Amino acid sequence: MQNRILLVEDDQAIADAVALNLKIVGYDYARFEDGRAAADSLIEDHAFDLALLDIMLPGMDGFELLGHVKKYGIPVIYMTAKADAASEIKGLLDGAEDYVIKPFDMMTLMVRMEKVLLRTGRLNRIYRAGDVELDDYRHEVYKAGERVELRPLEYGVLLYLMKHKNLTVTREQLLSEVWGFEYMGESRSVDVKISSLRRKLGLGDAIKTVQKLGYRLEDR
Amino acid sequence: MKLRHKISLLAGSILLLVLLICAGALLLYARKTILALAEDQAKDKQSALAASFSSMARYYSVPEDSDAARESLIRYCFTQFADQEGVLMRGSEPLCSSVSVDPSLYAVPDREDARTAVYQGKVDGRQLLIVASLEWVQADTLYVGLVRDITEVYDAMARLTRLFLLVCAAGVVLGMGLLFLAVKKSTAPLSRLTAATGEIAAGAYDKRVTVSGRDEVSDLGRSFNRMAEAVENRIADLTEQNERQRLFIGGVSHEFKTPLAAVRLHGDLLQSAKLSEAERADSLQHIRRAGAYMTRMTQSLMELLLLDQGIETEETDPADLLIAVESAARDSLATRGVTLVIDRQAASPLPLNRTLMTSLLLNLIENAARSYDPEDGDKTVTLRACGRCFEVSDHGRGIPAEAQARIFEPFYRVDKSRSRKQGGSGLGLALVKAIADAHGATLSLQSEPSRGTTFRVQF
């Protein structure tokens, strides 16, 4: 089951960007522009794993909305343009799990979302792309229901690509996240793992090489 | 050296000098008077002696007397009147004397005019006063002298002088002590001033000194308090101005964050995500809008900054200005279905800056146009020139009473998300206010919720 996110943001441009990002990496979401409308809808539907709340909202501000969200045990990440320490601390003391300050980049938000979901035990760790399924609970990978054996680094690269499905990940990101060190001059090892993943899982078309950037696991 | 020490020393020295001069003059006068008195007494006594002696001697003597007889007669007559001060001599030969000095060596009467001679001076360690005259008895010229010892008078005068000096010294010491206390008391406010100045310099701008009395030091204290107050007010002004600027800059950077976040997020998406054509177009549109919004905000900010440097005005016919405003606004309004009505009355020229006043009116018209929802029926904005004023009216949603006081603050929005959607920079009315202020015009508004709003710029 996909993780379901409550997104409350009144700026349409930002809400569109975040929503689109959530959609393409495989999250389900419900979005609201008005704090009160979001609070009201929670009464009927509160099956969310995480809430992304703006603070300056019409109808009801993010601080007040937090109370309604916490009532259902949903962890909260604030997205705010208020950079002053006071509102950060207030947000965290009120029970927000984390916050990001605008302008933020999507990678930062996704990493924080994943950490909060993991910490609260809500992270869905089964990822799918096409007929490939990665079960991160058991560290197993299936292709059309058939188990496929992967080397640890191959598994790490596939997991990272799955987590950022439909987004381009750079070789540097892969090196630092999977290999665990900053790239020191040789990125061929990444290319080697990618080609063995393509071969073993039949992902030749799905894993796209993005010129000058890196790779993208496509599933749309 | 402290001021009070300086003043005390200076005043003490002057006091000492004046006392010395006065005492000296007094002493000299007293000495002269005492000596003159003593001399007069001695003269009186000598002339009485001389007169009595000579008249008796002349009465009894006859020319036929032998020298020896005459000499005894003269001696006899002299002793009848003289005491131990009297001296009788013939030539340099003492006939009758009980003093050890020879007075004829000091007091020498003139033989011609028969005047009395007076000598006063020191002889053999004693102060002597000698008065002498010449008397004639028959053929003898007799020297009648009076030798008076006035050493005691001199001693008394010396004692008096010493006493005087002692009194003077005591007076000066006492005077200086009192002076020092008095100066210390009257300069105490200066010390307090110094302390207060130090505290103010260290940042305690609300510090004042307590002032009483009407002398110069109190005046200084009062001036100082006035100065301290001026400094405090100025600092408060500057602090407030600084705070306003800080808030404004905070507001500006806050306002930029949302469009920047949009640009960044959509930029990331466009660069790295697999998007459909429609999604790609949406993202690009968001970036374009954010860019346009930031451009408008930057322009408004530039205008606000330039306004701070003062403006140039020229006599302008309001009718001409309205024609320019109308042509600039009409197209953009027409695409949104808003009608602009111009109500031009004959008016005399006004001193204004064409560019800025155009900007002001366009901002008010834009603001009025936004008071309508797209689905509203009759969307009319009226621009009126009325004597020495301009008015922009709409009959849109109006401004709530609680928002009217804050509507001209930078980044204040009655309805934040509405304003954003309509592309408002949050600076439009702040700019309107700043331009009106720069022209010395007053800006007012009348508004009733759901009935409409009228903004008025009155010259």
Side-chain angles (χ1 to χ4, degrees):
Chain A
M1 201 191 80
Q2 288 173 309
N3 283 122
R4 188 153 178 259
I5 312 293
L6 173 66
L7 170 63
V8 190
E9 162 66 64
D10 68 321
D11 186 90
Q12 216 184 337
I14 293 174
D16 278 358
V18 174
L20 187 53
N21 243 297
L22 293 177
K23 190 170 89 182
I24 65 177
V25 300
Y27 286 105
D28 195 7
Y29 65 88
R31 66 183 268 196
F32 295 91
E33 293 184 6
D34 183 279
R36 173 134 335 257
D40 290 346
S41 86
L42 275 170
I43 299 165
E44 296 286 316
D45 172 16
H46 44 260
F48 292 103
D49 298 307
L50 178 69
L52 298 175
L53 307 184
D54 187 14
I55 289 178
M56 305 232 288
L57 285 170
M60 177 192 289
D61 74 17
F63 294 128
E64 199 184 339
L65 182 56
L66 181 110
H68 294 266
V69 175
K70 295 296 281 188
K71 217 157 50 187
Y72 303 105
I74 305 168
V76 167
I77 295 178
Y78 278 133
M79 301 184 298
T80 174
K82 288 186 164 191
D84 59 300
S87 49
E88 286 164 25
I89 289 164
K90 184 180 180 335
L92 292 176
L93 283 182
D94 280 353
E97 296 291 329
D98 207 344
Y99 59 89
V100 287
I101 291 170
K102 294 174 191 170
F104 54 85
D105 65 273
M106 203 56 216
M107 217 36 122
T108 307
L109 180 63
M110 301 230 309
V111 168
R112 298 206 180 182
M113 283 169 60
E114 193 192 324
K115 281 193 174 147
V116 170
L117 287 169
L118 195 61
R119 193 160 67 226
T120 54
R122 289 160 174 269
L123 182 64
N124 168 36
R125 297 172 73 176
I126 296 172
Y127 302 90
R128 285 191 187 84
D131 59 353
V132 176
E133 180 182 305
L134 185 149
D135 183 341
D136 196 34
Y137 298 103
R138 292 192 282 182
H139 274 254
E140 286 173 357
V141 178
Y142 303 89
K143 163 81 179 169
E146 296 281 317
R147 181 137 181 238
V148 179
E149 284 297 328
L150 291 184
R151 313 281 300 265
L153 285 174
E154 289 167 358
Y155 179 86
V157 171
L158 181 63
L159 177 62
Y160 196 77
L161 287 173
M162 286 279 203
K163 279 180 179 173
H164 301 98
K165 206 165 65 175
N166 292 315
L167 293 177
T168 305
V169 296
T170 62
R171 291 186 179 82
E172 287 75 17
Q173 280 170 339
L174 282 168
L175 278 168
S176 102
E177 294 297 322
V178 179
W179 273 257
F181 54 82
E182 293 293 318
Y183 170 60
M184 294 295 284
E186 186 59 68
S187 66
R188 285 225 5 109
S189 41
V190 175
D191 301 339
V192 170
K193 300 298 166 204
I194 292 287
S195 63
S196 66
L197 282 176
R198 278 173 174 156
R199 186 164 33 79
K200 286 182 175 177
L201 296 167
L203 291 173
D205 289 333
I207 299 180
K208 267 253 174 78
T209 304
V210 181
Q211 283 302 318
K212 291 183 183 167
L213 279 174
Y215 298 99
R216 183 163 67 209
L217 173 58
E218 293 186 350
D219 175 32
R220 313 187 61 188
Chain B
M1 195 185 233
K2 296 216 168 190
L3 183 64
R4 59 171 185 271
H5 298 147
K6 257 187 208 168
I7 294 178
S8 303
L9 263 181
L10 198 68
S13 313
I14 292 170
L15 185 71
L16 183 67
L17 195 69
V18 169
L19 270 175
L20 281 178
I21 290 170
C22 290
L26 216 62
L27 279 171
L28 280 176
Y29 180 74
R31 179 193 153 99
K32 209 172 132 193
T33 311
I34 290 167
L35 287 178
L37 205 64
E39 196 180 305
D40 284 350
Q41 277 178 354
K43 270 180 169 167
D44 287 349
K45 188 172 170 183
Q46 190 272 344
S47 68
L49 172 67
S52 313
F53 153 72
S54 59
S55 53
M56 182 177 172
R58 283 192 205 109
Y59 182 80
Y60 288 110
S61 68
V62 285
E64 296 80 27
D65 285 345
S66 69
D67 283 354
R70 196 163 60 242
E71 192 178 310
S72 354
L73 176 73
I74 285 167
R75 271 195 183 129
Y76 172 76
C77 291
F78 190 76
T79 54
Q80 289 304 302
F81 300 102
D83 54 15
Q84 72 275 3
E85 288 178 342
V87 175
L88 181 68
M89 295 175 73
R90 187 172 55 202
S92 60
E93 171 199 3
L95 297 180
C96 203
S97 172
S98 56
V99 295
S100 56
V101 296
D102 177 358
S104 64
L105 292 176
Y106 305 102
V108 188
D110 192 348
R111 205 168 269 278
E112 301 300 318
D113 64 2
R115 283 237 197 93
T116 308
V118 177
Y119 170 81
Q120 198 254 299
K122 214 166 189 184
V123 180
D124 298 339
R126 310 286 298 168
Q127 283 290 344
L128 296 183
L129 179 62
I130 300 168
V131 184
S133 60
L134 295 175
E135 299 297 333
W136 288 271
V137 178
Q138 303 300 339
D140 288 334
T141 303
L142 296 169
Y143 178 96
V144 179
L146 183 89
V147 178
R148 177 168 282 182
D149 188 342
I150 55 166
T151 307
E152 282 196 5
V153 174
Y154 269 82
D155 286 350
M157 284 198 299
R159 275 200 305 280
L160 196 65
T161 307
R162 277 197 299 277
L163 191 67
F164 249 89
L165 287 177
L166 212 64
V167 169
C168 276
V172 165
V173 168
L174 188 69
M176 273 184 74
L178 290 174
L179 202 70
F180 184 77
L181 289 178
V183 170
K184 189 177 171 180
K185 186 165 155 43
S186 54
T187 56
L190 288 178
S191 310
R192 287 205 299 275
L193 268 181
T194 310
T197 321
E199 284 183 55
I200 287 178
Y205 298 110
D206 57 341
K207 187 75 192 166
R208 298 287 182 276
V209 287
T210 42
V211 182
S212 57
R214 321 185 125 266
D215 60 4
E216 290 88 337
V217 178
S218 315
D219 285 347
L220 177 62
R222 274 185 282 271
S223 300
F224 174 84
N225 279 348
R226 277 197 298 279
M227 184 197 74
E229 196 174 328
V231 168
E232 191 187 359
N233 288 341
R234 183 84 184 112
I235 292 211
D237 281 355
L238 286 175
T239 311
E240 197 198 308
Q241 201 180 327
N242 214 356
E243 179 62 16
R244 263 206 315 275
Q245 256 168 21
R246 206 181 61 77
L247 284 176
F248 183 72
I249 290 171
V252 169
S253 67
H254 183 265
E255 288 300 317
F256 272 99
K257 277 177 186 165
T258 305
L260 278 175
V263 168
R264 222 172 136 177
L265 291 171
H266 286 288
D268 280 354
L269 277 172
L270 285 169
Q271 190 193 38
S272 81
K274 176 176 165 51
L275 299 176
S276 69
E277 273 310 307
E279 287 165 344
R280 180 172 292 272
D282 273 356
S283 276
L284 282 170
Q285 184 63 22
H286 279 312
I287 289 177
R288 283 179 54 86
R289 266 195 221 129
Y293 170 71
M294 287 190 279
T295 308
R296 271 196 305 284
M297 199 152 70
T298 315
Q299 278 166 352
S300 300
L301 282 172
M302 284 306 296
E303 283 186 47
L304 272 178
L305 286 178
L306 288 175
L307 277 175
D308 278 353
Q309 299 165 4
I311 59 164
E312 281 174 17
T313 59
E314 55 180 325
E315 292 292 323
T316 308
D317 182 356
D320 285 354
L321 189 74
L322 293 202
I323 291 167
V325 170
E326 185 185 8
S327 70
R330 181 138 287 173
D331 286 350
S332 130
L333 291 176
T335 56
R336 286 183 279 170
V338 178
T339 319
L340 180 63
V341 175
I342 305 281
D343 178 357
R344 228 178 355 244
Q345 296 172 3
S348 50
L350 290 171
L352 48 82
N353 181 303
R354 275 187 81 101
T355 315
L356 290 172
M357 197 45 74
T358 305
S359 167
L360 180 153
L361 293 174
L362 285 174
N363 267 298
L364 283 180
I365 290 168
E366 181 61 35
N367 192 67
R370 287 196 194 134
S371 73
Y372 297 106
D373 285 321
E375 59 273 18
D376 284 352
D378 172 23
K379 291 182 272 194
T380 306
V381 173
T382 309
L383 171 59
R384 240 159 56 80
C386 42
R388 296 183 66 78
C389 78
F390 294 102
E391 277 183 359
V392 176
S393 332
D394 62 67
H395 47 91
R397 79 172 55 72
I399 301 162
E402 68 273 12
Q404 288 182 14
R406 301 191 58 201
I407 193 104
F408 298 113
E409 287 175 20
F411 308 119
Y412 180 81
R413 292 175 171 104
V414 178
D415 182 340
K416 181 190 132 194
S417 56
R418 251 186 65 85
S419 163
R420 280 265 174 67
K421 272 185 202 130
Q422 293 174 330
S425 69
L427 285 171
L429 288 180
L431 193 58
V432 165
K433 175 94 168 74
I435 294 172
D437 286 350
H439 281 85
T442 48
L443 187 62
S444 58
L445 74 111
Q446 272 190 323
S447 186
E448 217 177 310
S450 69
R451 296 290 294 276
T453 309
T454 298
F455 283 93
R456 187 187 175 92
V457 185
Q458 177 76 53
F459 279 79

